Amino acid sequence: MSHQSKRIILKSFPQGHPKESDFEINTIEIKEDEVKDGQVLVKLLYVSVDPYLRYRMKQVDNKAFQGYKLNEPLTSICLARVISSKHGSLKEGDNVTSWNLTWQEFSIVKGEELNKLPSNDLPLSYYLHSLGMTGFTAYFGLLSVGEPKEGETVLVSAAAGAVGMLVGQIAKLKGCKALGIAGGKEKVEFVKSLGFDDCLDYKTVDNMDEAIKKFCPNGIDVYFDNVGSETLDAVLLNINDGARLPLCGSISNYNDTKEAQGPRRTFNLISKNAKMEGFLVSKYGKDFGKAQQEITEWLKQGKIKEQIDERNGMEKIVPSFIDLFHGRNTGKVVVKIADE
Ligand SMILES: NC(=O)c1ccc[n+]([C@@H]2O[C@H](COP(=O)([O-])OP(=O)(O)OC[C@H]3O[C@@H](n4cnc5c(N)ncnc54)[C@H](OP(=O)(O)O)[C@@H]3O)[C@@H](O)[C@H]2O)c1
């Protein structure tokens, strides 16, 4: 049996903001009888689009980020269903995730590169958000790097996004005051509906330094940075003694065509005995299982609210990715490719 399989190719390295014309959809045939020992044939169910993929479109190739190649299909964290298997521990019908699965409706892959999902009542798409890489980023970035203590003030930027919405909720679970920064009135309302104590609409702000000072009158103990630039600058003026600043992302710079200016106001880190620390979620790989178990419990007990911003179809992957850089998402963007 063979499967006509749509896939998405990188046609040019984006200059500035990615455009639809940087990508192309074409179709190939995947033959089931080409599955070899140790391999499985999978059908793509859900694709995760993430801001860091923009970095992989920059002709990079280092230990942390494998650069995409021109005229080759793109990959990301995806969820798929096993259609046929020649791998000992996987069978037809199993649901699996991979951190590097091709944006292609059907693929033949090595079974050892797939993580079999447990079966429970939770929606599968959660494994691309709170129960997957994004959730682990919020969990370890806040708890292991930010080290929040009860009663402290935790501020997070891109608070209505996939990572940010979880950071604030986990901060609340740890007895902290959770404050968010997000773009637009609707996002502010969404963030507050998650239980954050308050949220600042940065799009209505003229002077970020003044706005953060007013928004955090008791200073900031933990700043979880998803955006970089002027927000980080403004936060540095308002940190408390011994503050921790986990650097998770710097999305405001991802489409820069010139290298961003170096960090400013770092003297405030010195005068406040504060710590700014970058991290990649992969650093905590050996503890993902523990985090997944704990977040599963929180979800089941209603302690954490989920928000999947679901789109539909292969044609929506690229526009959904582009949307991330224009703030056109609330919660985690997941593209559904096929019915479960
Ligand atoms: N360190 C790690 O291992 C790791 C892992 C996963 C993610 N990350 C990083 O975490 C951050 C959040 O990722 P996510 O998946 O949760 O994405 P997301 O927050 O769901 O989506 C991106 C959001 O960023 C905001 N944004 C976009 N352009 C911006 C700009 N120029 N200035 C300020 N804000 C801007 C928008 O929100 P507004 O509408 O509110 O502006 C947008 O909705 C990203 O920087 C990502 O690279 C890091």
Side-chain angles (χ1 to χ4, degrees):
M1 190 175 172
S2 71
H3 301 271
Q4 291 299 311
S5 186
K6 279 192 220 162
R7 59 181 191 162
I8 298 177
I9 306 287
L10 183 66
K11 288 307 290 178
S12 47
F13 293 111
Q15 300 300 315
H17 275 266
K19 305 178 293 302
E20 290 205 42
S21 55
D22 293 321
F23 307 86
E24 184 183 279
I25 297 192
N26 64 25
T27 302
I28 56 162
E29 195 177 356
I30 301 291
K31 294 185 180 145
E32 213 157 320
D33 58 10
E34 287 179 357
V35 177
K36 298 191 184 73
D37 282 347
Q39 293 182 327
V40 296
L41 171 69
V42 295
K43 175 176 152 184
L44 196 56
L45 297 184
Y46 293 100
V47 169
S48 170
V49 290
D50 298 277
Y52 82 94
L53 302 178
R54 177 66 185 86
Y55 191 70
R56 295 182 64 189
M57 295 168 193
K58 289 191 183 201
Q59 289 174 277
V60 289
D61 221 344
N62 55 44
K63 208 171 148 228
F65 296 100
Q66 189 190 3
Y68 292 125
K69 302 216 165 25
L70 284 187
N71 299 313
E72 289 192 7
L74 292 114
T75 58
S76 73
I77 300 175
C78 293
L79 198 152
R81 164 111 6 113
V82 175
I83 301 295
S84 69
S85 172
K86 286 191 180 170
H87 184 273
S89 347
L90 292 168
K91 59 176 189 326
E92 187 187 334
D94 284 345
N95 295 315
V96 292
T97 54
S98 161
W99 280 40
N100 214 22
L101 197 63
T102 309
W103 290 356
Q104 181 170 300
E105 288 173 295
F106 292 87
S107 299
I108 295 174
V109 285
K110 286 184 190 161
E112 67 192 29
E113 290 170 2
L114 303 171
N115 309 302
K116 186 172 157 177
L117 296 184
S119 50
N120 59 34
D121 297 337
L122 296 171
L124 278 182
S125 54
Y126 287 14
Y127 286 90
L128 294 185
H129 185 215
S130 52
L131 298 175
M133 182 279 278
T134 312
F136 306 151
T137 303
Y139 184 98
F140 292 107
L142 179 64
L143 301 180
S144 301
V145 186
E147 299 184 293
K149 292 168 201 68
E150 199 175 334
E152 287 190 331
T153 298
V154 173
L155 175 68
V156 57
S157 46
V163 174
M165 66 167 279
L166 297 172
V167 168
Q169 293 189 79
I170 298 172
K172 287 303 292 178
L173 285 177
K174 299 295 169 188
C176 299
K177 179 174 181 184
L179 299 176
I181 303 172
K185 205 166 158 237
E186 278 178 24
K187 288 196 179 187
V188 164
E189 288 313 311
F190 166 68
V191 169
K192 287 192 199 167
S193 77
L194 298 171
F196 281 56
D197 293 280
D198 207 352
C199 185
L200 173 72
D201 177 1
Y202 75 93
K203 290 202 170 154
T204 58
V205 163
D206 290 327
N207 181 325
M208 202 61 177
D209 294 353
E210 288 299 318
I212 296 285
K213 188 174 175 191
K214 203 167 148 212
F215 186 57
C216 308
N218 300 319
I220 299 154
D221 300 298
V222 178
Y223 172 57
F224 192 106
D225 184 23
N226 283 319
V227 303
S229 298
E230 61 174 338
T231 307
L232 175 58
D233 266 358
V235 167
L236 280 170
L237 290 181
N238 292 287
I239 51 175
N240 289 335
D241 206 54
R244 286 82 63 205
L245 287 78
L247 299 187
C248 174
S250 179
I251 194 167
S252 66
N253 304 126
Y254 292 178
N255 295 306
D256 286 356
T257 45
K258 280 195 222 137
E259 206 166 17
Q261 245 185 353
R264 302 192 304 157
R265 299 171 172 174
T266 45
F267 189 74
N268 292 50
L269 294 170
I270 300 163
S271 62
K272 293 287 170 59
N273 291 295
K275 179 179 84 166
M276 189 152 92
E277 183 179 336
F279 73 96
L280 273 179
V281 63
S282 49
K283 176 177 175 187
Y284 300 95
K286 69 173 178 29
D287 294 321
F288 283 172
K290 176 185 146 252
Q292 198 180 55
Q293 246 178 354
E294 189 164 11
I295 301 169
T296 301
E297 283 313 307
W298 288 339
L299 286 167
K300 286 185 174 171
Q301 293 166 13
K303 290 182 174 171
I304 291 269
K305 291 184 189 150
E306 254 290 6
Q307 174 80 14
I308 304 288
D309 184 341
E310 187 175 299
R311 324 283 172 95
N312 263 281
M314 290 295 286
E315 290 75 10
K316 286 285 159 60
I317 299 176
V318 169
S320 300
F321 169 65
I322 293 172
D323 280 353
L324 295 173
F325 303 100
H326 298 282
R328 295 191 291 252
N329 69 298
T330 301
K332 171 67 193 167
V333 179
V334 164
V335 187
K336 183 174 179 178
I337 306 301
D339 286 332
E340 291 173 17

